[in-house]
C-alpha cells in the first residue's frame, strides 16, 4: 500500500494544480493532466490506475459518518462540531456547507480520476493492445460507476451529473432513477470490456483486491456492484440474475470481498472510522435503539459496540455504547462483501422462493450466534427480518438510511426523533457551486 499512497500524493497534486489559472505555464520536468491525456507512457497510465484506487479512500469516513448519522445508526457526540448533532439531524442542510459539499466533491474526484485514466489509455503512446486497453477501461469504468452510485444515493431525488468528462460542458443533472439507469449501463459497459480484456491487469492492485485482481475475478466484483444497483432500482429479478455472475456464495466467508486498505507508514493514510475504545474525544456512539432492539445472544452487539462507563451526553443526546466496528487504524473498509450479497439474495427471493430467502437469512443469523428464523413467512415479515439482519450485519457500512428510504420506511418508527426539532432528511441538497438552473 505504500507505493499506492506515494503515487496517490503525486497524482492528487497533478489534478489539483491542473485547475489553477496558471495551467498554460508548463513545467518541462513535471507531467500535467494534459500530458497524461495525450501521449501518455505506459508508466503514466499505470500511475493513474494505481492512483484511482488510492483516491477512492479520500474522505471516506466523512461519507460513512454522515449517512450513518442520518440513518440513526450512530451519533457523533464528541462535540467537535455541533453541526453533526444540529444541522445534520434537524435540517435544513446548507447547500454551500461542508456537510453537503465535502463528500460530493470527494466522489467526483474519483469520477474525474477515472475519466483521466480512460482518456490517457485512449491516447497513449505506449502501444497497448486492444485487450490491454479493455482491461484498463473495465477497471476505470467499474470504479467510476461505484463512485457515481455512492453520490447518487446521497443526493437521491436531487440528482447527480453522470457526464462530467468536459468541465467546460457538463452534462445535465438527472434524477435518481435516470442516474441508476446510467450507472447500470456503465457497469455493463465495463463488464463487456473486462470480457474482452487480457487475463491480467497491467498494473498492481492493492491487497484490498486480493482474489479480485484478474480481469475475470474483477468482473465478479463488477457484477456484485451491479446487483446492488439493481436492488436500489427495485428490480429484484435482475439483482438475482447478477448475483449469479458475482462472487456471491451463501456458504462462503461473510467478509470475502473488495476493500479499501490502509497503512501506518508516513506516506499512507489511516482508517479514521476506527475510534479508540473508551477514550475521551472518541465518542462516536451507537444509537440506543440498536442496542435495545437487538435479539438476545446476537454476537454482533459485542463485536460492533463497547459499553462506555457512565455513557456520554451532548446537545441533548445521550448514549452508552461506543461504536467499535473497526478494531484498528488499519482495518479494511469494504466496498462490498459476501454478507451483503447473501442478504440481497434473501431479499430478492422473497415471494418467489421463500425457502431460499429463509436459507440466506439463517446463514446470517447462525453466523451471529442466533437460531434459525422462526417467525411468520409472509412477504412483509420476511422483508422485516432481512432489514433487521442488514441493520445489524451492515452497521456503519452506509446502508441503513438508503435501505429505509428505498423501502418507504424512512419514518419516525425507524428514524428516532430524539429531541424536539429533530427531523428526517431524505437527501443531501445539490451543492450551491453546481449552479443548476
Amino acid at each position: 500500500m505504500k507505493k499506492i499512497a506515494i503515487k496517490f500524493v503525486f497524482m492528487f497534486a497533478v489534478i489539483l494544480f491542473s485547475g489553477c489559472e496558471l495551467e498554460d505555464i508548463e513545467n518541462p520536468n513535471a507531467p500535467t493532466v494534459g500530458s497524461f491525456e495525450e501521449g501518455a507512457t505506459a508508466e503514466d497510465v499505470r500511475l493513474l490506475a494505481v492512483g484511482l484506487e488510492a483516491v477512492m479512500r479520500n474522505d471516506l469516513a466523512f461519507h460513512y459518518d454522515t449517512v450513518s448519522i442520518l440513518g440513526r445508526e450512530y451519533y457523533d457526540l464528541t462535540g467537535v462540531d455541533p453541526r453533526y448533532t444540529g444541522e445534520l439531524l434537524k435540517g435544513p442542510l446548507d447547500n454551500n456547507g461542508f456537510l453537503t459539499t465535502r463528500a460530493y466533491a470527494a466522489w467526483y474526484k474519483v469520477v474525474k480520476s477515472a475519466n483521466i485514466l480512460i482518456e490517457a489509455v485512449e491516447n497513449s503512446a505506449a502501444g497497448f493492445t486492444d485487450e490491454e486497453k479493455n482491461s484498463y477501461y473495465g477497471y476505470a469504468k467499474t470504479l467510476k460507476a461505484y463512485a457515481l452510485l455512492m453520490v447518487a444515493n446521497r443526493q437521491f431525488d436531487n440528482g447527480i451529473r453522470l457526464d462530467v468528462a468536459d468541465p467546460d460542458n457538463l452534462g445535465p443533472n438527472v434524477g435518481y432513477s435516470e442516474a441508476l439507469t446510467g450507472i447500470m449501463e456503465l457497469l455493463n459497459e465495463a463488464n463487456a470490456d473486462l470480457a474482452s480484456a487480457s487475463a491480467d491487469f497491467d498494473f498492481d492492485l492493492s491487497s484490498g483486491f486480493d482474489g479480485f485482481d484478474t480481469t475475470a475475478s474483477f468482473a465478479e466484483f463488477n457484477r456484485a456492484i451491479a446487483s446492488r444497483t439493481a436492488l436500489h432500482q427495485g428490480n429484484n429479478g435482475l439483482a438475482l440474475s447478477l448475483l449469479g455472475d458475482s462472487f456471491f456464495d451463501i456458504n462462503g466467508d461473510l467478509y470475502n470481498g473488495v476493500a479499501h486498505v490502509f497503512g501506518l507508514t508516513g506516506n499512507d493514510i489511516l482508517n479514521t472510522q476506527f475510534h479508540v475504545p473508551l477514550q475521551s474525544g472518541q465518542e462516536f456512539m451507537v444509537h440506543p435503539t440498536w442496542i435495545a432492539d437487538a435479539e438476545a445472544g446476537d454476537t454482533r452487539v459485542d463485536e460492533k459496540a463497547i459499553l462506555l462507563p457512565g455513557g456520554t451526553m451532548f446537545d441533548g443526546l445521550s448514549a452508552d455504547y461506543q461504536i467499535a466496528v473497526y478494531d484498528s487504524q488499519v482495518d479494511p473498509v469494504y466496498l462490498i462483501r459476501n454478507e451483503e450479497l447473501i442478504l440481497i439474495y434473501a431479499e430478492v427471493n422473497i415471494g418467489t422462493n421463500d425457502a431460499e430467502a429463509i436459507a440466506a437469512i439463517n446463514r446470517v443469523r447462525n453466523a451471529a450466534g442466533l437460531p434459525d428464523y422462526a417467525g411468520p413467512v409472509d412477504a412483509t415479515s420476511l422483508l422485516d427480518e432481512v432489514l433487521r439482519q442488514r441493520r445489524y450485519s451492515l452497521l456503519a457500512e452506509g446502508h441503513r438510511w438508503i435501505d429505509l428510504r428505498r423501502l418507504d420506511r424512512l419514518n419516525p418508527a425507524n428514524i428516532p426523533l430524539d429531541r424536539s426539532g429533530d427531523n428526517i432528511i431524505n437527501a443531501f441538497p445539490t451543492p450551491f457551486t453546481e449552479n443548476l438552473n
Side-chain angles (χ1 to χ4, degrees):
M1 197 61 206
K2 180 177 180 181
K3 290 182 179 178
I4 288 181
I6 293 171
K7 291 178 178 179
F8 162 65
V9 171
F10 174 70
M11 177 188 167
F12 181 77
V14 169
I15 294 174
L16 178 65
F17 287 107
S18 70
C20 69
E21 294 181 358
L22 300 178
E23 60 184 2
D24 57 327
I25 301 175
E26 296 185 2
N27 179 354
N29 298 312
T32 65
V33 171
S35 69
F36 279 138
E37 293 173 336
E38 298 180 10
T41 67
E43 186 55 35
D44 287 339
V45 174
R46 294 186 191 106
L47 171 66
L48 290 169
V50 173
L52 173 56
E53 181 189 346
V55 78
M56 293 185 76
R57 303 176 302 167
N58 186 45
D59 251 351
L60 201 61
F62 181 82
H63 167 83
Y64 286 113
D65 284 345
T66 49
V67 297
S68 296
I69 291 170
L70 286 177
R72 278 31 172 211
E73 294 189 272
Y74 59 87
Y75 284 147
D76 177 356
L77 300 186
T78 63
V80 171
D81 191 323
R83 284 174 288 187
Y84 286 106
T85 54
E87 182 182 334
L88 195 55
L89 295 175
K90 295 177 182 292
L93 290 172
D94 179 0
N95 70 350
N96 201 29
F98 82 106
L99 291 172
T100 293
T101 61
R102 186 168 158 183
Y104 188 94
W107 288 119
Y108 272 109
K109 285 179 184 176
V110 178
V111 175
K112 175 66 173 176
S113 298
N115 284 339
I116 291 172
L117 173 57
I118 291 167
E119 190 167 352
V121 172
E122 289 174 344
N123 300 322
S124 174
F128 291 124
T129 66
D130 287 344
E131 290 77 13
E132 289 170 331
K133 288 182 179 181
N134 285 336
S135 70
Y136 280 104
Y137 296 151
Y139 165 79
K141 292 173 187 177
T142 297
L143 297 188
K144 176 181 174 180
Y146 178 86
L148 288 170
L149 180 62
M150 297 294 272
V151 74
N153 278 323
R154 292 180 68 88
Q155 302 305 118
F156 191 47
D157 284 340
N158 290 323
I160 64 168
R161 297 186 195 272
L162 291 172
D163 180 7
V164 294
D166 181 356
D168 297 321
N169 186 29
L170 298 173
N173 199 66
V174 301
Y176 186 62
S177 178
E178 187 175 345
L180 292 180
T181 298
I183 290 164
M184 183 66 80
E185 289 174 353
L186 185 59
L187 286 165
N188 289 339
E189 188 178 320
N191 189 54
D193 289 331
L194 292 165
S196 301
S198 51
D200 297 309
F201 289 110
D202 188 46
F203 55 93
D204 293 328
L205 288 161
S206 77
S207 60
F209 281 84
D210 284 355
F212 301 91
D213 50 3
T214 66
T215 53
S217 57
F218 191 91
E220 295 180 352
F221 161 62
N222 172 290
R223 298 293 80 186
I225 299 300
S227 182
R228 179 196 286 177
T229 304
L231 184 75
H232 293 176
Q233 290 178 302
N235 192 336
N236 288 356
L238 178 59
L240 181 61
S241 175
L242 290 165
L243 283 176
D245 294 324
S246 76
F247 59 92
F248 160 72
D249 181 355
I250 195 169
N251 296 311
D253 181 354
L254 299 183
Y255 280 85
N256 181 41
V258 173
H260 303 285
V261 292
F262 305 88
L264 293 170
T265 65
N267 294 311
D268 211 332
I269 65 172
L270 303 176
N271 174 1
T272 53
Q273 288 176 265
F274 165 72
H275 305 293
V276 181
L278 312 181
Q279 181 169 306
S280 177
Q282 299 285 298
E283 295 91 352
F284 285 78
M285 307 297 290
V286 175
H287 195 277
T289 59
W290 192 84
I291 302 295
D293 295 346
E295 194 170 339
D298 192 330
T299 59
R300 291 169 293 193
V301 173
D302 288 338
E303 290 170 357
K304 298 173 185 281
I306 183 170
L307 180 64
L308 181 66
T312 192
M313 179 180 290
F314 176 73
D315 198 14
L317 299 168
S318 61
D320 295 319
Y321 285 80
Q322 184 183 15
I323 195 161
V325 169
Y326 300 102
D327 296 326
S328 79
Q329 294 173 310
V330 293
D331 270 11
V333 174
Y334 284 85
L335 286 78
I336 194 164
R337 58 188 180 89
N338 190 41
E339 190 165 14
E340 180 189 343
L341 300 185
I342 292 171
L343 288 166
I344 292 175
Y345 182 74
E347 183 173 339
V348 299
N349 270 298
I350 293 173
T352 57
N353 193 336
D354 290 343
E356 281 299 298
I358 293 170
I361 289 169
N362 288 338
R363 171 71 179 94
V364 173
R365 287 180 58 86
N366 295 164
L370 299 175
D372 285 354
Y373 175 70
V377 294
D378 60 281
T380 298
S381 297
L382 289 177
L383 185 57
D384 288 344
E385 179 63 16
V386 169
L387 189 59
R388 178 185 185 87
Q389 297 311 313
R390 288 179 66 90
R391 182 185 185 191
Y392 285 88
S393 286
L394 306 179
L395 175 71
E397 295 185 34
H399 297 282
R400 176 69 173 171
W401 179 57
I402 298 164
D403 285 343
L404 294 175
R405 187 178 62 200
R406 68 182 175 82
L407 294 172
D408 295 322
R409 300 186 183 202
L410 203 62
N411 55 50
N414 297 300
I415 298 290
L417 302 178
D418 295 317
R419 305 164 302 180
S420 175
D422 283 359
N423 287 298
I424 296 171
I425 296 172
N426 75 341
F428 287 87
T430 302
F432 173 79
T433 51
E434 286 295 283
N435 294 317
L436 297 175
N437 294 324

